[in-house]
PDB file of all heavy atoms in Angstrom:
ATOM      1  N   PRO A 239     119.438 100.412 103.022  1.00 93.00           N
ATOM      2  CA  PRO A 239     118.864 101.756 103.137  1.00 93.00           C
ATOM      3  C   PRO A 239     117.605 101.796 103.999  1.00 93.00           C
ATOM      4  O   PRO A 239     117.318 102.812 104.638  1.00 93.00           O
ATOM      5  CB  PRO A 239     118.548 102.130 101.687  1.00 93.00           C
ATOM      6  CG  PRO A 239     119.452 101.276 100.861  1.00 93.00           C
ATOM      7  CD  PRO A 239     119.584  99.986 101.615  1.00 93.00           C
ATOM      8  N   PHE A 240     116.857 100.687 104.015  1.00 91.00           N
ATOM      9  CA  PHE A 240     115.634 100.627 104.808  1.00 91.00           C
ATOM     10  C   PHE A 240     115.915 100.198 106.252  1.00 91.00           C
ATOM     11  O   PHE A 240     115.059 100.328 107.118  1.00 91.00           O
ATOM     12  CB  PHE A 240     114.648  99.660 104.151  1.00 91.00           C
ATOM     13  CG  PHE A 240     114.365  99.981 102.715  1.00 91.00           C
ATOM     14  CD1 PHE A 240     114.996  99.288 101.691  1.00 91.00           C
ATOM     15  CD2 PHE A 240     113.488 100.994 102.382  1.00 91.00           C
ATOM     16  CE1 PHE A 240     114.753  99.597 100.364  1.00 91.00           C
ATOM     17  CE2 PHE A 240     113.231 101.309 101.053  1.00 91.00           C
ATOM     18  CZ  PHE A 240     113.868 100.611 100.042  1.00 91.00           C
ATOM     19  N   LEU A 241     117.132  99.682 106.477  1.00 90.00           N
ATOM     20  CA  LEU A 241     117.524  99.292 107.827  1.00 90.00           C
ATOM     21  C   LEU A 241     118.091 100.451 108.631  1.00 90.00           C
ATOM     22  O   LEU A 241     118.039 100.448 109.866  1.00 90.00           O
ATOM     23  CB  LEU A 241     118.577  98.185 107.770  1.00 90.00           C
ATOM     24  CG  LEU A 241     118.101  96.734 107.704  1.00 90.00           C
ATOM     25  CD1 LEU A 241     119.301  95.801 107.608  1.00 90.00           C
ATOM     26  CD2 LEU A 241     117.251  96.384 108.907  1.00 90.00           C
ATOM     27  N   LEU A 242     118.635 101.444 107.936  1.00 89.00           N
ATOM     28  CA  LEU A 242     119.328 102.537 108.624  1.00 89.00           C
ATOM     29  C   LEU A 242     118.451 103.227 109.668  1.00 89.00           C
ATOM     30  O   LEU A 242     118.923 103.507 110.782  1.00 89.00           O
ATOM     31  CB  LEU A 242     119.854 103.544 107.597  1.00 89.00           C
ATOM     32  CG  LEU A 242     120.974 103.030 106.688  1.00 89.00           C
ATOM     33  CD1 LEU A 242     121.367 104.085 105.670  1.00 89.00           C
ATOM     34  CD2 LEU A 242     122.193 102.616 107.523  1.00 89.00           C
ATOM     35  N   PRO A 243     117.189 103.537 109.370  1.00 89.00           N
ATOM     36  CA  PRO A 243     116.358 104.142 110.424  1.00 89.00           C
ATOM     37  C   PRO A 243     116.205 103.250 111.647  1.00 89.00           C
ATOM     38  O   PRO A 243     116.173 103.732 112.784  1.00 89.00           O
ATOM     39  CB  PRO A 243     115.012 104.376 109.729  1.00 89.00           C
ATOM     40  CG  PRO A 243     115.352 104.453 108.271  1.00 89.00           C
ATOM     41  CD  PRO A 243     116.468 103.480 108.090  1.00 89.00           C
ATOM     42  N   PHE A 244     116.105 101.936 111.434  1.00 86.00           N
ATOM     43  CA  PHE A 244     115.976 101.020 112.571  1.00 86.00           C
ATOM     44  C   PHE A 244     117.274 100.963 113.373  1.00 86.00           C
ATOM     45  O   PHE A 244     117.246 100.818 114.596  1.00 86.00           O
ATOM     46  CB  PHE A 244     115.594  99.624 112.078  1.00 86.00           C
ATOM     47  CG  PHE A 244     114.216  99.538 111.494  1.00 86.00           C
ATOM     48  CD1 PHE A 244     114.019  99.568 110.127  1.00 86.00           C
ATOM     49  CD2 PHE A 244     113.106  99.444 112.313  1.00 86.00           C
ATOM     50  CE1 PHE A 244     112.751  99.497 109.582  1.00 86.00           C
ATOM     51  CE2 PHE A 244     111.832  99.363 111.786  1.00 86.00           C
ATOM     52  CZ  PHE A 244     111.656  99.396 110.411  1.00 86.00           C
ATOM     53  N   ILE A 245     118.403 101.056 112.669  1.00 83.00           N
ATOM     54  CA  ILE A 245     119.688 101.083 113.367  1.00 83.00           C
ATOM     55  C   ILE A 245     119.774 102.313 114.261  1.00 83.00           C
ATOM     56  O   ILE A 245     120.254 102.247 115.399  1.00 83.00           O
ATOM     57  CB  ILE A 245     120.842 101.054 112.345  1.00 83.00           C
ATOM     58  CG1 ILE A 245     120.850  99.713 111.590  1.00 83.00           C
ATOM     59  CG2 ILE A 245     122.181 101.277 113.033  1.00 83.00           C
ATOM     60  CD1 ILE A 245     121.841  99.655 110.448  1.00 83.00           C
ATOM     61  N   GLU A 246     119.290 103.444 113.759  1.00 81.00           N
ATOM     62  CA  GLU A 246     119.308 104.671 114.558  1.00 81.00           C
ATOM     63  C   GLU A 246     118.401 104.540 115.778  1.00 81.00           C
ATOM     64  O   GLU A 246     118.760 104.960 116.881  1.00 81.00           O
ATOM     65  CB  GLU A 246     118.854 105.845 113.693  1.00 81.00           C
ATOM     66  CG  GLU A 246     118.816 107.175 114.427  1.00 81.00           C
ATOM     67  CD  GLU A 246     120.168 107.569 115.004  1.00 81.00           C
ATOM     68  OE1 GLU A 246     121.210 107.231 114.402  1.00 81.00           O
ATOM     69  OE2 GLU A 246     120.181 108.212 116.066  1.00 81.00           O
ATOM     70  N   ILE A 247     117.238 103.945 115.604  1.00 79.00           N
ATOM     71  CA  ILE A 247     116.325 103.741 116.740  1.00 79.00           C
ATOM     72  C   ILE A 247     116.965 102.807 117.760  1.00 79.00           C
ATOM     73  O   ILE A 247     116.833 102.997 118.973  1.00 79.00           O
ATOM     74  CB  ILE A 247     114.979 103.164 116.258  1.00 79.00           C
ATOM     75  CG1 ILE A 247     114.286 104.155 115.324  1.00 79.00           C
ATOM     76  CG2 ILE A 247     114.076 102.841 117.439  1.00 79.00           C
ATOM     77  CD1 ILE A 247     114.045 105.504 115.930  1.00 79.00           C
ATOM     78  N   ARG A 248     117.686 101.799 117.266  1.00 70.00           N
ATOM     79  CA  ARG A 248     118.346 100.873 118.181  1.00 70.00           C
ATOM     80  C   ARG A 248     119.405 101.584 119.001  1.00 70.00           C
ATOM     81  O   ARG A 248     119.615 101.280 120.170  1.00 70.00           O
ATOM     82  CB  ARG A 248     118.964  99.721 117.382  1.00 70.00           C
ATOM     83  CG  ARG A 248     119.446  98.568 118.244  1.00 70.00           C
ATOM     84  CD  ARG A 248     119.927  97.409 117.398  1.00 70.00           C
ATOM     85  NE  ARG A 248     120.339  96.284 118.208  1.00 70.00           N
ATOM     86  CZ  ARG A 248     120.872  95.169 117.723  1.00 70.00           C
ATOM     87  NH1 ARG A 248     121.036  95.030 116.420  1.00 70.00           N
ATOM     88  NH2 ARG A 248     121.234  94.189 118.532  1.00 70.00           N
ATOM     89  N   ARG A 249     120.088 102.558 118.398  1.00 73.00           N
ATOM     90  CA  ARG A 249     121.070 103.338 119.139  1.00 73.00           C
ATOM     91  C   ARG A 249     120.421 104.145 120.256  1.00 73.00           C
ATOM     92  O   ARG A 249     121.066 104.474 121.248  1.00 73.00           O
ATOM     93  CB  ARG A 249     121.807 104.280 118.191  1.00 73.00           C
ATOM     94  CG  ARG A 249     122.795 103.579 117.258  1.00 73.00           C
ATOM     95  CD  ARG A 249     123.367 104.558 116.261  1.00 73.00           C
ATOM     96  NE  ARG A 249     124.289 103.898 115.338  1.00 73.00           N
ATOM     97  CZ  ARG A 249     124.733 104.464 114.221  1.00 73.00           C
ATOM     98  NH1 ARG A 249     124.352 105.677 113.890  1.00 73.00           N
ATOM     99  NH2 ARG A 249     125.566 103.786 113.431  1.00 73.00           N
ATOM    100  N   GLN A 250     119.149 104.465 120.082  1.00 71.00           N
ATOM    101  CA  GLN A 250     118.435 105.206 121.104  1.00 71.00           C
ATOM    102  C   GLN A 250     117.951 104.306 122.247  1.00 71.00           C
ATOM    103  O   GLN A 250     117.322 104.778 123.182  1.00 71.00           O
ATOM    104  CB  GLN A 250     117.222 105.913 120.483  1.00 71.00           C
ATOM    105  CG  GLN A 250     117.589 106.946 119.429  1.00 71.00           C
ATOM    106  CD  GLN A 250     116.369 107.556 118.766  1.00 71.00           C
ATOM    107  OE1 GLN A 250     115.261 107.482 119.295  1.00 71.00           O
ATOM    108  NE2 GLN A 250     116.563 108.163 117.600  1.00 71.00           N
ATOM    109  N   GLY A 251     118.269 103.016 122.147  1.00 67.00           N
ATOM    110  CA  GLY A 251     117.945 102.105 123.235  1.00 67.00           C
ATOM    111  C   GLY A 251     116.798 101.169 122.964  1.00 67.00           C
ATOM    112  O   GLY A 251     116.399 100.401 123.849  1.00 67.00           O
ATOM    113  N   PHE A 252     116.239 101.195 121.722  1.00 69.00           N
ATOM    114  CA  PHE A 252     115.120 100.303 121.422  1.00 69.00           C
ATOM    115  C   PHE A 252     115.643  98.918 121.094  1.00 69.00           C
ATOM    116  O   PHE A 252     116.348  98.720 120.105  1.00 69.00           O
ATOM    117  CB  PHE A 252     114.302 100.843 120.258  1.00 69.00           C
ATOM    118  CG  PHE A 252     113.181  99.920 119.847  1.00 69.00           C
ATOM    119  CD1 PHE A 252     112.187  99.583 120.737  1.00 69.00           C
ATOM    120  CD2 PHE A 252     113.134  99.386 118.570  1.00 69.00           C
ATOM    121  CE1 PHE A 252     111.158  98.733 120.370  1.00 69.00           C
ATOM    122  CE2 PHE A 252     112.113  98.532 118.191  1.00 69.00           C
ATOM    123  CZ  PHE A 252     111.125  98.212 119.092  1.00 69.00           C
ATOM    124  N   GLU A 253     115.313  97.962 121.929  1.00 70.00           N
ATOM    125  CA  GLU A 253     115.747  96.585 121.716  1.00 70.00           C
ATOM    126  C   GLU A 253     114.862  95.663 122.532  1.00 70.00           C
ATOM    127  O   GLU A 253     114.379  96.022 123.602  1.00 70.00           O
ATOM    128  CB  GLU A 253     117.211  96.419 122.137  1.00 70.00           C
ATOM    129  CG  GLU A 253     117.840  95.121 121.692  1.00 70.00           C
ATOM    130  CD  GLU A 253     119.348  95.128 121.916  1.00 70.00           C
ATOM    131  OE1 GLU A 253     119.771  94.790 123.038  1.00 70.00           O
ATOM    132  OE2 GLU A 253     120.081  95.495 120.997  1.00 70.00           O
ATOM    133  N   ARG A 254     114.631  94.490 121.985  1.00 76.00           N
ATOM    134  CA  ARG A 254     113.828  93.496 122.697  1.00 76.00           C
ATOM    135  C   ARG A 254     114.744  92.670 123.599  1.00 76.00           C
ATOM    136  O   ARG A 254     115.814  92.229 123.164  1.00 76.00           O
ATOM    137  CB  ARG A 254     113.139  92.560 121.715  1.00 76.00           C
ATOM    138  CG  ARG A 254     112.321  93.274 120.663  1.00 76.00           C
ATOM    139  CD  ARG A 254     111.140  93.990 121.253  1.00 76.00           C
ATOM    140  NE  ARG A 254     110.215  94.425 120.216  1.00 76.00           N
ATOM    141  CZ  ARG A 254     109.111  95.090 120.447  1.00 76.00           C
ATOM    142  NH1 ARG A 254     108.783  95.431 121.674  1.00 76.00           N
ATOM    143  NH2 ARG A 254     108.316  95.445 119.452  1.00 76.00           N
ATOM    144  N   SER A 255     114.330  92.452 124.800  1.00 80.00           N
ATOM    145  CA  SER A 255     115.117  91.627 125.714  1.00 80.00           C
ATOM    146  C   SER A 255     114.642  90.182 125.648  1.00 80.00           C
ATOM    147  O   SER A 255     113.551  89.882 125.144  1.00 80.00           O
ATOM    148  CB  SER A 255     114.979  92.151 127.142  1.00 80.00           C
ATOM    149  OG  SER A 255     113.656  91.961 127.617  1.00 80.00           O
ATOM    150  N   LEU A 256     115.446  89.293 126.182  1.00 85.00           N
ATOM    151  CA  LEU A 256     115.023  87.894 126.261  1.00 85.00           C
ATOM    152  C   LEU A 256     113.821  87.738 127.181  1.00 85.00           C
ATOM    153  O   LEU A 256     113.007  86.828 127.003  1.00 85.00           O
ATOM    154  CB  LEU A 256     116.193  87.031 126.756  1.00 85.00           C
ATOM    155  CG  LEU A 256     117.309  86.783 125.727  1.00 85.00           C
ATOM    156  CD1 LEU A 256     118.460  86.036 126.374  1.00 85.00           C
ATOM    157  CD2 LEU A 256     116.774  86.002 124.527  1.00 85.00           C
ATOM    158  N   GLU A 257     113.701  88.625 128.151  1.00 85.00           N
ATOM    159  CA  GLU A 257     112.534  88.576 129.038  1.00 85.00           C
ATOM    160  C   GLU A 257     111.265  88.897 128.253  1.00 85.00           C
ATOM    161  O   GLU A 257     110.214  88.291 128.484  1.00 85.00           O
ATOM    162  CB  GLU A 257     112.705  89.583 130.184  1.00 85.00           C
ATOM    163  CG  GLU A 257     111.746  89.364 131.340  1.00 85.00           C
ATOM    164  CD  GLU A 257     111.872  87.980 131.968  1.00 85.00           C
ATOM    165  OE1 GLU A 257     113.002  87.469 132.082  1.00 85.00           O
ATOM    166  OE2 GLU A 257     110.813  87.406 132.315  1.00 85.00           O
ATOM    167  N   ASP A 258     111.352  89.854 127.313  1.00 84.00           N
ATOM    168  CA  ASP A 258     110.207  90.135 126.435  1.00 84.00           C
ATOM    169  C   ASP A 258     109.826  88.892 125.642  1.00 84.00           C
ATOM    170  O   ASP A 258     108.642  88.581 125.463  1.00 84.00           O
ATOM    171  CB  ASP A 258     110.541  91.271 125.462  1.00 84.00           C
ATOM    172  CG  ASP A 258     110.731  92.607 126.154  1.00 84.00           C
ATOM    173  OD1 ASP A 258     110.096  92.816 127.207  1.00 84.00           O
ATOM    174  OD2 ASP A 258     111.512  93.433 125.643  1.00 84.00           O
ATOM    175  N   ALA A 259     110.841  88.188 125.133  1.00 89.00           N
ATOM    176  CA  ALA A 259     110.588  87.015 124.307  1.00 89.00           C
ATOM    177  C   ALA A 259     109.890  85.906 125.090  1.00 89.00           C
ATOM    178  O   ALA A 259     109.099  85.145 124.520  1.00 89.00           O
ATOM    179  CB  ALA A 259     111.900  86.490 123.715  1.00 89.00           C
ATOM    180  N   ARG A 260     110.158  85.808 126.372  1.00 90.00           N
ATOM    181  CA  ARG A 260     109.517  84.762 127.178  1.00 90.00           C
ATOM    182  C   ARG A 260     108.007  84.912 127.193  1.00 90.00           C
ATOM    183  O   ARG A 260     107.264  83.927 127.283  1.00 90.00           O
ATOM    184  CB  ARG A 260     110.071  84.783 128.602  1.00 90.00           C
ATOM    185  CG  ARG A 260     111.486  84.228 128.723  1.00 90.00           C
ATOM    186  CD  ARG A 260     111.926  84.097 130.174  1.00 90.00           C
ATOM    187  NE  ARG A 260     113.234  83.467 130.262  1.00 90.00           N
ATOM    188  CZ  ARG A 260     114.383  84.125 130.239  1.00 90.00           C
ATOM    189  NH1 ARG A 260     114.369  85.463 130.149  1.00 90.00           N
ATOM    190  NH2 ARG A 260     115.537  83.489 130.306  1.00 90.00           N
ATOM    191  N   LEU A 261     107.530  86.148 127.115  1.00 88.00           N
ATOM    192  CA  LEU A 261     106.088  86.397 127.155  1.00 88.00           C
ATOM    193  C   LEU A 261     105.390  85.898 125.898  1.00 88.00           C
ATOM    194  O   LEU A 261     104.182  85.653 125.911  1.00 88.00           O
ATOM    195  CB  LEU A 261     105.823  87.899 127.324  1.00 88.00           C
ATOM    196  CG  LEU A 261     106.360  88.541 128.606  1.00 88.00           C
ATOM    197  CD1 LEU A 261     106.136  90.051 128.574  1.00 88.00           C
ATOM    198  CD2 LEU A 261     105.692  87.932 129.831  1.00 88.00           C
ATOM    199  N   PHE A 262     106.141  85.772 124.800  1.00 91.00           N
ATOM    200  CA  PHE A 262     105.551  85.375 123.518  1.00 91.00           C
ATOM    201  C   PHE A 262     106.131  84.067 123.013  1.00 91.00           C
ATOM    202  O   PHE A 262     106.214  83.833 121.815  1.00 91.00           O
ATOM    203  CB  PHE A 262     105.769  86.489 122.493  1.00 91.00           C
ATOM    204  CG  PHE A 262     105.123  87.790 122.870  1.00 91.00           C
ATOM    205  CD1 PHE A 262     105.849  88.770 123.526  1.00 91.00           C
ATOM    206  CD2 PHE A 262     103.785  88.024 122.596  1.00 91.00           C
ATOM    207  CE1 PHE A 262     105.261  89.972 123.885  1.00 91.00           C
ATOM    208  CE2 PHE A 262     103.187  89.221 122.951  1.00 91.00           C
ATOM    209  CZ  PHE A 262     103.921  90.200 123.605  1.00 91.00           C
ATOM    210  N   SER A 263     106.558  83.214 123.939  1.00 93.00           N
ATOM    211  CA  SER A 263     107.035  81.882 123.589  1.00 93.00           C
ATOM    212  C   SER A 263     105.878  80.889 123.666  1.00 93.00           C
ATOM    213  O   SER A 263     104.869  81.149 124.313  1.00 93.00           O
ATOM    214  CB  SER A 263     108.159  81.462 124.547  1.00 93.00           C
ATOM    215  OG  SER A 263     109.222  82.400 124.525  1.00 93.00           O
ATOM    216  N   VAL A 264     106.029  79.768 123.014  1.00 91.00           N
ATOM    217  CA  VAL A 264     104.937  78.801 122.959  1.00 91.00           C
ATOM    218  C   VAL A 264     105.337  77.479 123.590  1.00 91.00           C
ATOM    219  O   VAL A 264     106.513  77.144 123.711  1.00 91.00           O
ATOM    220  CB  VAL A 264     104.485  78.552 121.504  1.00 91.00           C
ATOM    221  CG1 VAL A 264     104.026  79.840 120.857  1.00 91.00           C
ATOM    222  CG2 VAL A 264     105.586  77.896 120.690  1.00 91.00           C
ATOM    223  N   ALA A 265     104.316  76.753 123.989  1.00 88.00           N
ATOM    224  CA  ALA A 265     104.463  75.365 124.425  1.00 88.00           C
ATOM    225  C   ALA A 265     103.691  74.500 123.431  1.00 88.00           C
ATOM    226  O   ALA A 265     103.157  74.998 122.432  1.00 88.00           O
ATOM    227  CB  ALA A 265     103.940  75.201 125.848  1.00 88.00           C
TER     228      ALA A 265
END
Side-chain angles (χ1 to χ4, degrees):
F240 306 100
L241 272 178
L242 293 177
F244 292 99
I245 294 173
E246 179 59 32
I247 297 303
R248 191 175 182 184
R249 288 174 181 167
Q250 297 176 19
F252 176 60
E253 192 170 86
R254 306 294 192 181
S255 67
L256 286 175
E257 195 59 38
D258 293 330
R260 286 188 175 89
L261 298 175
F262 299 95
S263 303
V264 301

